[in-house]
Amino acid sequence: NAGVTQTPKFRILKIGQSMTLQCAQDMNHNYMYWYRQDPGMGLKLIYYSVGAGITDKGEVPNGYNVSRSTTEDFPLRLELAAPSQTSVYFCASSYHDRSDGYTFGSGTRLTVV
Amino acid sequence: GENVEQHPSTLSVQEGDSAVIKCTYSDSASNYFPWYKQELGKGPQLIIDIRSNVGEKKDQRIAVTLNKTAKHFSLHITETQPEDSAVYFCAATTTYGNNRLAFGKGNQVVVIP
């Protein structure tokens, strides 16, 4: 099992550009999550999904969009990149009805200039 | 919603000494409390967890204790080693909603050789 795979690992965007952060898991987890991590601020939930076709907003959804067409994939879309979106982004997944905690990907470091 | 706080924000210990990190939470319905370790440039990794029906759990040099009355739980690392240097996150979840975790801001632990 690869676990949770995120691509790319690093990216520099110009203000106003768009991009998609990819996330895939091979553990047949129902739940998937996107977090951003800013220095000294811990992990903030952007969006989450409880299964294919179902997504919902987290604490800081503005400026982002997600889709969940399959159980395995949960891409995060930035439409108009802003400097405030400079951060490290983590995708995670978990089972539905077991409090097992999350399995995290290795992260995408995004810089918007 | 759940509010999780960690103390201290930074902890330096001599190699071989013990380290203790404390987390407090606000939601009395929380029933699962994991600890994650994040090494530089990597995603958080689950190291130990505890459920609300247990007061203490050990795994080799690490242990977690839970005080439900006071709504706090602590991570204990004994015989610290340089590879224990990392950021440690605590989290809490509840039976309500959808297995979401609320994370603390993280503790930087530095083990001095």
Side-chain angles (χ1 to χ4, degrees):
Chain A
N1 283 352
V4 178
T5 303
Q6 289 185 241
T7 56
K9 293 189 181 300
F10 305 94
R11 183 72 184 269
I12 298 175
L13 279 182
K14 293 183 178 179
I15 295 172
Q17 286 185 321
S18 61
M19 76 164 293
T20 299
L21 283 67
Q22 301 292 343
C23 175
Q25 53 90 10
D26 61 358
M27 299 171 285
N28 203 31
H29 284 172
N30 289 318
Y31 283 54
M32 296 187 74
Y33 315 82
W34 274 106
Y35 284 89
R36 60 177 288 171
Q37 184 179 38
D38 300 318
M41 296 303 293
L43 296 161
K44 296 292 185 182
L45 182 64
I46 305 171
Y47 269 96
Y48 67 98
S49 169
V50 303
I54 306 169
T55 62
D56 209 344
K57 297 178 180 179
E59 300 172 76
V60 291
N62 292 343
Y64 307 95
N65 277 300
V66 293
S67 59
R68 184 92 183 273
S69 57
T70 66
T71 299
E72 293 78 19
D73 300 299
F74 190 40
L76 178 71
R77 179 82 177 164
L78 284 70
E79 290 293 349
L80 293 170
S84 60
Q85 294 177 304
T86 294
S87 188
V88 180
Y89 292 84
F90 288 102
C91 179
S93 69
S94 68
Y95 282 113
H96 163 54
D97 56 358
R98 292 165 51 186
S99 296
D100 287 321
Y102 298 173
T103 300
F104 282 86
S106 57
T108 295
R109 183 175 293 276
L110 176 66
T111 302
V112 182
V113 297
Chain B
E2 176 70 279
N3 184 39
V4 178
E5 295 188 357
Q6 292 183 238
H7 303 280
S9 58
T10 304
L11 178 64
S12 295
V13 296
Q14 289 292 136
E15 183 177 355
D17 287 351
S18 295
V20 181
I21 307 168
K22 181 178 176 179
C23 269
T24 59
Y25 62 97
S26 60
D27 189 342
S28 58
S30 292
N31 62 356
Y32 175 67
F33 309 92
W35 282 94
Y36 287 83
K37 176 182 181 182
Q38 185 179 26
E39 296 175 340
L40 194 62
K42 297 183 179 180
Q45 183 176 15
L46 179 68
I47 56 171
I48 196 167
D49 55 14
I50 193 167
R51 301 186 189 279
S52 57
N53 58 348
V54 176
E56 182 176 3
K57 183 177 178 180
K58 290 183 179 180
D59 183 3
Q60 299 182 356
R61 294 187 299 107
I62 60 172
V64 55
T65 58
L66 172 64
N67 184 326
K68 287 211 71 180
T69 302
K71 290 193 282 189
H72 67 73
F73 57 110
S74 298
L75 178 69
H76 305 255
I77 307 172
T78 59
E79 301 173 18
T80 53
Q81 300 169 5
E83 52 264 38
D84 295 328
S85 295
V87 176
Y88 292 83
F89 290 95
C90 64
T93 192
T94 74
T95 56
Y96 299 105
N98 40 39
N99 198 35
R100 285 164 51 184
L101 287 174
F103 287 87
K105 291 186 177 181
N107 296 94
Q108 175 74 59
V109 173
V110 178
V111 180
I112 304 166

